[in-house]
Amino acid sequence: ITLIKAAKEGDFDKLLKCLRAGADANQRDAKGRTPLMFAADTGDVAITIQLMQLDADIDAADERGKTALHYATICEQIDVAEVLLEAGADPEARDANGKSASDLGVYELVKKKAKGESSPLGREAVNDVDDEEEEEEELEEDFDLEEIERQALERMAGRTP
């Protein structure tokens, strides 16, 4: 198993085995994504912290310019977003579309959690998008973050304050 696969699957034990065997905490897949981005997407705080302790680049960007903080924000993984912010992740880093995690509402998510409120979309909405994508792309073990982001932004735009 690769480090990226272990992070993607949230398998902490396999992740540790890969790291002990000398795997690079900053390795990338074909789309430039790092294990930290997968941990942020899935909301795995333990893996996020372990990777950061091993010098994972918290501001590394994939081929679309998205960082782990973008992934955590879009997928509403508030605990991971908080950990990344506390570790110094740049909330103003811009992706290929010119959006930062700050633009995408990272601070609003953290504030809602502090107040005990639920997030505006909820992880279930993101899971629904993931399920649809899996049906469309049965052979590809991937997620389309741009599509998730587009749908999340559409849902937020459709809500009245």
Side-chain angles (χ1 to χ4, degrees), residues 122-133:
R123 182 66 187 168
E124 289 178 13
V126 176
N127 283 334
D128 290 343
V129 173
D130 288 340
D131 291 343
E132 290 170 16
E133 288 173 1

Side-chain angles (χ1 to χ4, degrees), residues 14-150:
K14 288 181 182 173
L15 181 108
L16 287 178
K17 285 180 184 177
C18 290
L19 292 168
R20 286 184 191 126
D24 179 4
N26 290 303
Q27 68 179 252
R28 293 174 179 266
D29 71 1
K31 295 184 179 185
R33 296 173 297 198
T34 65
L36 187 60
M37 292 173 192
F38 286 107
D41 172 72
T42 61
D44 197 313
V45 174
I47 289 178
T48 299
I49 291 170
Q50 181 66 48
L51 290 166
M52 288 189 313
Q53 288 174 341
L54 294 169
D55 297 323
D57 182 355
I58 59 173
D59 288 321
D62 67 12
E63 66 182 19
R64 294 175 295 193
K66 297 197 184 312
T67 65
L69 190 55
H70 281 95
Y71 281 81
T73 303
I74 293 165
C75 295
E76 298 186 0
Q77 301 296 353
I78 302 168
D79 294 333
V80 171
E82 285 179 317
V83 167
L84 291 168
L85 287 168
E86 288 172 14
D90 182 2
E92 300 305 326
R94 304 233 171 248
D95 65 13
N97 297 321
K99 297 283 186 185
S100 69
S102 180
D103 295 336
L104 297 172
V106 69
Y107 293 117
E108 288 78 7
L109 289 175
V110 172
K111 286 177 191 172
K112 284 185 177 284
K113 179 187 173 200
K115 292 178 181 177
E117 299 173 13
S118 64
S119 60
L121 299 178
R123 182 66 187 168
E124 289 178 13
V126 176
N127 283 334
D128 290 343
V129 173
D130 288 340
D131 291 343
E132 290 170 16
E133 288 173 1
E134 286 175 16
E135 290 171 11
E136 293 172 11
E137 303 172 9
E138 290 179 13
L139 300 177
E140 188 177 7
E141 289 186 13
D142 208 331
F143 55 85
D144 185 351
L145 191 61
E146 287 179 352
E147 179 64 15
I148 294 170
E149 178 181 8
R150 183 189 65 74

